[in-house]
Amino acid sequence: MLSRTEHKFGCEDCEFKKMSCLYVEPDSFEEFRQQSIKLSFSKGETIFKQGGKSGGLLFLHEGIVKFCYQYDSGSNYIMTIVRGPKLLGGANLFFKSVNIFSITAMEDSRVCMLDSAAFMKLAIGNPAYLLALVENTMDMFQDAIFNFISLAHNHVNGRIATILLYLHKNVYNGQGYSFTVSRKEIAEFAACSHENVINTLSRFRKEGIIEFHGKEIEIINIELLEEISRKG
Amino acid sequence: MLSRTEHKFGCEDCEFKKMSCLYVEPDSFEEFRQQSIKLSFSKGETIFKQGGKSGGLLFLHEGIVKFCYQYDSGSNYIMTIVRGPKLLGGANLFFKSVNIFSITAMEDSRVCMLDSAAFMKLAIGNPAYLLALVENTMDMFQDAIFNFISLAHNHVNGRIATILLYLHKNVYNGQGYSFTVSRKEIAEFAACSHENVINTLSRFRKEGIIEFHGKEIEIINIELLEEISRKG
DNA sequence: CGCGAGCTTGACGTTGTTCAACTAGAGTGG
DNA sequence: CCACTCTAGTTGAACAACGTCAAGCTCGCG
C-alpha cells in the first residue's frame, strides 16, 4: 500500500498516467514509471540549468514554472510560463543533450523526471502516444510564439497587456482576475526594463484597467486590456 | 519511364525519399508519394496563406521560403527563412486545421504537398520515422527561437547582425559571403522600420563590416559582425 | 513616357533605457 | 533585539534609440 506521503504525489491518479493510459497499457506505463523520479521544488529553485546536461523528459504535476534564457551579461529573458499538470518536453528536452534554457519553479512544484530511454521504448511501441505528446508540446510552443510575435510588433503597453492576459488565462486561471507576479519577472517576460513595467502598470491603474496592492495584480477592465494587447 | 520534365522534379533522387527510406520500405514510401502533388512556385508567390485551411505537410525540394505573420494593420513579420531541401512541418502544419502563418516563396521553389492522412498512416507504422521528422521540425523551431531571443534582447544593430549571419550561414550558404535580400524583408525580419535598416546597413558599410551594391550584400568582417550579434 | 514600388536621407517627436536617490521588507548574524 | 545587508520597488531627470513623416531618388514595367 502507498503511504500517506507517497499518496500525496498522486501516483495512482496522476494526470500523466491518465493521459498515457489512453494510449498505452497500464502495465507498460507502470514499467516506465518505475524508471522515473519524484521530486519537489520550492519557489525559486532551479529545476534544469541552462547549459547543463539534459535531464530528459519532465512531467510537471503541480506548480508553476518559467523557461528562462540567461545572457552572459547576467540578465534573463523569460520565454514562457506554464502551470501543471503539463509535460515539459520539446526542443529543450526531447533531443538535445544540453539544455538550451533553464527551467525554474515560480511556485512550489512537484515533478517527475522521466527516463529518456524508457520513454523512447514506450513511444516507439505506441506511435499514437508519441503523436499525442508531440501535439501537446507543439501547443506550448505555439503559445510561446504568439508571445514572441506580440513582443516583436508591440510597444511596451501592448506587450504587458498581452502578458497580463496570458497569465490570467493560461497560468493563473481558476482564481478570478487576480494573481501575484513580481515586476522584475514581468520585465523579464516583456523584455524591457523594470522601471518601464512600473510606469506602465501605474498608468494602467490610473486608467482603471487594473488594480494592485504590492505584488497582487487584479484585472478590472479585461476588454480594454484586450484592445491594448491587439492594437499595441 | 519518367519524362524529362518529371525527372527535373527528382522523384528518383529526391532528398525526402532518401531520408524517408532510411526508415520506411521504398514500396510504402512510393504508395505515400502517389498521394502527393508536385508544384512550382515563382519568387513572391504565396504557398500557404495565413488563416487558410491547412494544406497538410509540405516538402521543399529546392528554393527559399519565408514564414510570415500578417497583422490586421497590414504590416508583416517574418518569423524565419529556410532553404530546401527541408520538410516544412510543425505547429503550422502537423496538427492545426488552419494555417497560423503564411509561407511565401522568396526564390523560385519546387515543393511537394503531402497528404496528411497518408503521412499519418506511414508514421503510425514507423515510429522511428516519425521521431526523426519531429526532430527535424524541432531544429527549425530552435533556429526561430534563437532569432526571437536576439530580437527580444538586442538593439537594431545586434538584431540585423544576427539576421545577416543567419542568412549567410543557414540560407545562402555555399555561395561565399554575399547574398541578395531586400531592405524591406530585413526590416520585416528584424521587426523594425525599413529606414532603420538602411541607416544600420550604411553604418556597417562605413565601419567596413559589410559592402553592398543595390540588394546584394557582402559580409567583409564576419568576426566583428558576430561580436555585434552577441553584444547587442 | 509615366507610374509605382522600393530605396535613401534628414528632421523631429515619442518611447524606452540608464542612472541616481530613496523606501520598504526579508534575512542574517551578533 | 537591533543593526546590517540584500533584494525589490518607486520616482524623476537626462540621454539615446527608434519610428514617423516628408521629400526626393532610382529602377523596372506597362
Side-chain angles (χ1 to χ4, degrees):
Chain A
M1 290 296 287
L2 290 167
S3 76
R4 186 163 186 83
T5 322
E6 278 174 332
H7 188 68
K8 265 186 67 193
F9 269 83
C11 281
E12 291 314 301
D13 56 0
C14 113
E15 292 294 325
F16 186 45
K17 179 174 179 179
K18 277 189 206 161
M19 181 228 183
S20 298
C21 288
L22 295 175
Y23 302 96
V24 305
E25 290 301 312
D27 288 352
S28 309
F29 180 79
E30 187 56 27
E31 191 185 329
F32 169 44
R33 196 186 65 73
Q34 298 286 345
Q35 307 288 325
S36 67
I37 300 165
K38 293 177 283 189
L39 284 173
S40 286
F41 289 90
S42 305
K43 184 173 177 167
E45 275 191 290
T46 301
I47 299 172
F48 283 158
K49 175 82 177 167
Q50 178 178 331
K53 203 169 168 329
S54 170
L57 278 167
L58 193 86
F59 188 80
L60 176 65
H61 289 282
E62 192 185 336
I64 295 173
V65 302
K66 56 181 175 184
F67 286 59
C68 279
Y69 186 85
Q70 303 176 303
Y71 297 96
D72 300 338
S73 66
S75 59
N76 286 334
Y77 174 63
I78 297 179
M79 299 180 47
T80 191
I81 296 174
V82 300
R83 79 172 298 150
K86 187 147 213 136
L87 183 69
L88 310 180
N92 198 34
L93 307 167
F94 261 126
F95 305 110
K96 302 298 165 182
S97 59
V98 168
N99 298 321
I100 58 177
F101 28 78
S102 295
I103 299 180
T104 306
M106 286 178 68
E107 305 289 343
D108 293 353
S109 298
R110 297 185 296 107
V111 307
C112 275
M113 297 218 174
L114 313 173
D115 184 72
S116 282
F119 168 75
M120 285 300 176
K121 193 178 155 210
L122 196 63
I124 291 288
N126 298 270
Y129 178 52
L130 176 58
L131 214 50
L133 291 180
V134 170
E135 185 165 356
N136 181 303
T137 300
M138 287 292 181
D139 274 347
M140 201 172 75
F141 267 85
Q142 188 175 319
D143 287 341
I145 283 174
F146 278 122
N147 266 325
F148 276 126
I149 287 176
S150 164
L151 195 150
H153 185 246
N154 291 334
H155 286 183
V156 170
N157 265 349
R159 302 214 292 257
I160 291 181
T162 304
I163 286 170
L164 293 178
L165 289 168
Y166 175 83
L167 292 176
H168 164 60
K169 288 181 185 168
N170 298 22
V171 183
Y172 299 97
N173 46 356
Q175 60 181 67
Y177 286 90
S178 66
F179 47 85
T180 303
V181 202
S182 79
R183 315 290 147 114
K184 187 162 169 287
E185 278 168 333
I186 295 178
E188 287 172 351
F189 206 172
C192 66
S193 68
H194 65 279
E195 293 96 329
N196 205 338
V197 172
I198 292 163
N199 289 333
T200 305
L201 290 181
S202 298
R203 209 178 316 127
F204 283 176
R205 173 150 76 167
K206 267 186 211 135
E207 291 165 3
I209 300 167
I210 63 169
E211 191 48 71
F212 56 81
H213 307 282
K215 292 189 185 180
E216 181 165 339
I217 299 172
E218 187 186 357
I219 298 175
I220 306 288
N221 188 338
I222 195 164
E223 290 80 14
L224 199 46
L225 204 57
E226 277 168 346
E227 194 183 324
I228 295 172
S229 167
R230 274 197 309 278
K231 301 205 171 169
Chain B
M1 290 296 286
L2 290 167
S3 76
R4 186 164 187 83
T5 321
E6 278 173 333
H7 188 68
K8 263 186 70 192
F9 269 82
C11 279
E12 292 314 301
D13 56 359
C14 113
E15 292 292 328
F16 185 45
K17 180 175 179 179
K18 278 190 208 159
M19 181 228 185
S20 298
C21 289
L22 296 176
Y23 301 97
V24 306
E25 291 300 314
D27 287 352
S28 308
F29 180 79
E30 187 55 27
E31 192 184 328
F32 169 44
R33 196 187 64 74
Q34 297 287 344
Q35 307 288 324
S36 67
I37 301 164
K38 294 178 283 188
L39 284 172
S40 287
F41 288 90
S42 306
K43 184 172 177 168
E45 275 191 290
T46 301
I47 299 172
F48 282 158
K49 175 82 176 167
Q50 177 178 330
K53 203 169 169 331
S54 170
L57 279 165
L58 193 85
F59 188 80
L60 177 65
H61 289 282
E62 192 185 338
I64 295 173
V65 302
K66 57 182 174 182
F67 285 60
C68 279
Y69 185 85
Q70 303 176 303
Y71 297 96
D72 299 338
S73 67
S75 58
N76 286 335
Y77 174 62
I78 297 179
M79 300 181 48
T80 191
I81 295 174
V82 299
R83 82 171 295 150
K86 187 149 212 134
L87 183 69
L88 309 180
N92 199 33
L93 307 168
F94 260 128
F95 305 111
K96 302 298 166 184
S97 58
V98 168
N99 297 321
I100 59 176
F101 27 79
S102 295
I103 298 180
T104 305
M106 286 178 68
E107 305 289 343
D108 293 353
S109 299
R110 297 186 296 107
V111 307
C112 274
M113 298 218 172
L114 312 174
D115 184 73
S116 283
F119 168 76
M120 285 300 176
K121 191 177 157 216
L122 196 64
I124 291 287
N126 298 272
Y129 178 52
L130 176 58
L131 214 50
L133 291 180
V134 169
E135 186 166 354
N136 182 303
T137 300
M138 287 292 179
D139 274 347
M140 201 172 74
F141 266 83
Q142 189 175 319
D143 287 341
I145 283 174
F146 279 123
N147 265 325
F148 277 127
I149 287 175
S150 164
L151 196 149
H153 184 247
N154 291 334
H155 287 181
V156 169
N157 265 350
R159 302 214 290 260
I160 291 181
T162 304
I163 285 170
L164 293 179
L165 289 169
Y166 175 82
L167 292 176
H168 164 60
K169 289 182 184 169
N170 299 18
V171 183
Y172 299 96
N173 44 357
Q175 59 181 67
Y177 286 90
S178 66
F179 47 85
T180 303
V181 202
S182 80
R183 316 289 146 117
K184 189 162 168 284
E185 278 168 334
I186 296 178
E188 287 172 352
F189 206 173
C192 67
S193 68
H194 66 278
E195 293 96 328
N196 206 337
V197 172
I198 291 161
N199 289 332
T200 305
L201 291 182
S202 299
R203 210 178 316 128
F204 284 175
R205 173 151 75 168
K206 267 185 211 135
E207 292 165 3
I209 301 167
I210 63 169
E211 191 49 68
F212 57 81
H213 306 284
K215 291 188 183 179
E216 180 165 339
I217 299 172
E218 187 186 358
I219 297 175
I220 306 287
N221 188 338
I222 196 164
E223 290 80 14
L224 199 46
L225 204 57
E226 277 168 346
E227 194 184 325
I228 295 171
S229 166
R230 274 197 309 278
K231 301 205 173 170

